[in-house]
């Protein structure tokens, strides 16, 4: 789900470029770690060291440290989520900076000029830069089983020898679970979850969710397709796997479920068969490694899709940042699109 140079047919590569994340319901998460006074400083440490530190991650592993981690390095999306809860990282890996110097969508509200970028694409990770940061903790998502997302397999052993790691499950799980898990991790690292910025974001999220629910009810029967585009294939995402798409369905949005899912995440359609699932609204993966509407315009079958002809295509970040602040805008955009969309199939 991150940013390789091209879409490949490997399961991991497909996820990295055209892929998926997670599912939605309102379950609580079993957090870990102690709570202490928050900090939103440039490196995100707590205001005071709380002594021995522990946190049980989603591998079931209890991470231990002699002090609350201060030099935190994370996958870009994970770092963006932690930032939203009040903890900033010293280093990131994964899609972070666009060619024009602006922040990649996955970077959220991170100040990308104040973090060390260990790699700006999926699979890129400078072990030398990582070691130079004297890392206390590495944080990333887990999309496939307990596989630490975007940590290169070839250098994984060396990377994990330099600092403890935390993995948070973000697929095949309700949307609010990874959000609450990142909140719990941030709190354990010293964030104040009662800070107005955090509580306001949660209120915005809840309001946006209710707006989606009302919009979906008013437009019952509106078919929505979530997909990623590549040169040769259109990947139709399975909403039962992606936490955000599943949450949309829970709110009443009729997200199409593909019937021939390959690799557990999406159905691969040749462009000749791109019209297999008639849709009134298309959520198109907007990550940097996937093709966007301007790139797809020359494909006849794309141009002929009812939703495309009606101008009912909106961006979809298939690797959301798991925080209230990260997901609220996506819900607001979905609500607006559903309210505006017309039945065209």
């Amino acid at each position: 789900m991150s940013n390789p140079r091209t879409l490949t047919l490997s399961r991991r590569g497909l996820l990295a470029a055209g892929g998926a994340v997670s599912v939605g319901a309102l379950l609580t998460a079993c957090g870990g770690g102690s709570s202490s006074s928050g900090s939103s400083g440039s490196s995100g440490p707590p205001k005071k060291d709380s002594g021995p530190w522990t946190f049980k991650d989603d591998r079931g592993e209890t991470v231990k440290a002699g002090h609350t981690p201060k030099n935190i390095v994370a996958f870009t999306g994970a770092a963006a989520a932690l930032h939203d809860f009040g903890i900033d990282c010293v280093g990131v890996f994964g899609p972070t900076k666009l060619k024009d110097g602006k922040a990649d969508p996955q970077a959220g509200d991170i100040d990308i000029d104040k973090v060390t970028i260990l790699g700006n694409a999926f699979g890129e990770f400078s072990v030398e830069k990582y070691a130079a940061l004297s890392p206390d903790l590495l944080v990333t998502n887990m999309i496939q089983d307990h596989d630490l997302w975007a940590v290169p397999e070839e250098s994984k052993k060396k990377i994990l020898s330099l600092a403890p790691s935390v993995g948070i499950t973000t697929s095949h799980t309700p949307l609010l679970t990874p959000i609450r898990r990142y909140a719990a991790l941030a709190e354990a690292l010293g964030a104040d979850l009662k800070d107005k910025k955090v509580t306001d974001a949660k209120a915005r999220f809840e309001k946006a969710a209710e707006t989606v629910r009302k919009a979906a009810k008013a437009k019952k029967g509106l078919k929505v397709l979530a997909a990623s585009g590549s040169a040769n294939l259109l990947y139709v995402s399975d909403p039962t796997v992606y936490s955000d798409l599943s949450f949309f369905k829970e709110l009443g949005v009729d997200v199409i479920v593909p019937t021939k899912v390959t690799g557990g995440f999406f159905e691969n359609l040749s462009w000749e068969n791109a019209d297999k699932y008639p849709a009134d609204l298309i959520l198109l993966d907007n990550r940097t490694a996937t093709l966007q509407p301007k790139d797809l315009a020359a494909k006849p079958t794309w141009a002929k899709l009812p939703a495309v002809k009606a101008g009912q295509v909106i961006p979809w970040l298939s690797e959301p940042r798991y925080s209230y602040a990260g997901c609220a805008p996506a819900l607001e955009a979905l609500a607006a699109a559903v309210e505006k969309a017309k039945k065209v199939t």
Side-chain angles (χ1 to χ4, degrees):
M1 310 176 66
S2 233
N3 191 3
R5 292 157 267 327
T6 59
L7 287 161
T8 71
L9 290 180
S10 72
R11 192 178 187 195
R12 186 179 178 94
L14 280 171
L15 287 173
V21 192
S22 355
V23 202
L26 309 180
L27 300 181
T28 56
C30 47
S34 59
S35 172
S36 60
S37 182
S39 168
S40 299
S42 60
S43 61
K47 292 182 179 179
K48 59 182 179 180
D49 196 327
S50 58
W53 186 86
T54 64
F55 184 85
K56 188 173 183 179
D57 78 352
D58 291 347
R59 295 170 293 186
E61 297 181 9
T62 299
V63 182
K64 298 180 180 180
H67 60 83
T68 302
K70 297 180 180 179
N71 293 336
I72 304 162
V73 174
F75 170 65
T76 303
L82 288 173
H83 170 83
D84 291 339
F85 287 115
I87 296 295
D88 286 329
C89 297
V90 296
V92 297
F93 55 96
T96 306
K97 183 179 290 189
L98 300 175
K99 291 181 180 179
D100 61 7
K102 296 180 181 179
D104 186 278
Q106 292 191 65
D109 293 330
I110 294 173
D111 187 338
I112 60 173
D113 295 321
K114 291 186 178 180
V115 294
T116 298
I117 300 174
L118 307 182
N120 196 42
F122 183 86
E124 294 182 1
F125 192 116
S126 172
V127 179
E128 292 74 21
K129 288 184 179 180
Y130 181 57
L133 291 173
S134 300
D136 295 322
L137 185 69
L138 181 144
V139 181
T140 189
N141 298 333
M142 293 191 301
I143 295 167
Q144 294 174 277
D145 302 318
H146 290 167
D147 191 16
L148 295 177
W149 189 243
V151 176
E153 192 62 35
E154 62 273 15
S155 53
K156 180 179 178 180
K157 186 174 180 180
K158 176 63 176 177
I159 291 168
L160 298 183
S161 73
L162 295 173
S165 61
V166 164
I168 301 295
T169 297
T170 57
S171 70
H172 296 90
T173 191
L175 177 62
L176 287 182
T177 298
I179 290 177
R180 289 169 176 163
R181 290 295 281 146
Y182 270 110
L185 176 59
E187 185 176 36
L189 292 168
D192 180 6
L193 299 187
K194 294 181 180 179
D195 183 85
K196 189 175 185 301
K197 177 183 175 182
V198 178
T199 58
D200 283 354
K202 183 178 181 181
R204 179 183 175 186
F205 173 92
E206 292 171 345
K207 180 180 179 181
E210 187 57 32
T211 304
V212 170
R213 191 187 302 278
K214 291 178 180 178
K217 185 176 181 180
K219 291 292 182 72
K220 190 172 182 179
L222 193 79
K223 297 289 185 180
V224 179
L225 184 75
S228 302
S230 74
N232 299 315
L233 296 169
L234 180 69
Y235 301 100
V236 177
S237 297
D238 181 357
T240 66
V241 176
Y242 295 63
S243 62
D244 55 344
L245 297 181
S246 180
F247 189 59
F248 299 164
K249 283 186 71 69
E250 184 179 311
L251 295 173
V253 179
D254 189 0
V255 184
I256 295 169
V257 180
T259 58
K260 294 184 179 180
V261 175
T262 300
F265 290 86
F266 28 70
E267 180 173 349
N268 309 335
L269 296 179
S270 65
W271 280 108
E272 291 79 10
N273 297 310
D275 60 353
K276 179 178 179 179
Y277 299 105
D280 303 298
L281 174 65
I282 295 176
L283 312 184
L284 186 66
D285 191 346
N286 72 338
R287 289 173 303 154
T288 51
T290 62
L291 299 186
Q292 301 309 301
K294 62 180 177 57
D295 307 311
L296 297 172
K299 294 186 177 297
T301 50
W302 168 261
K304 291 179 181 178
L305 294 177
V308 176
K309 291 172 66 176
Q312 296 176 174
V313 179
I314 65 169
W316 167 54
L317 185 61
S318 71
E319 284 185 74
R321 68 187 204 259
Y322 294 95
S323 66
Y324 298 114
C327 292
L331 288 170
E332 291 168 346
L334 177 63
V338 170
E339 288 171 349
K340 182 180 178 181
K342 297 179 180 179
K343 185 74 177 169
V344 292
T345 59

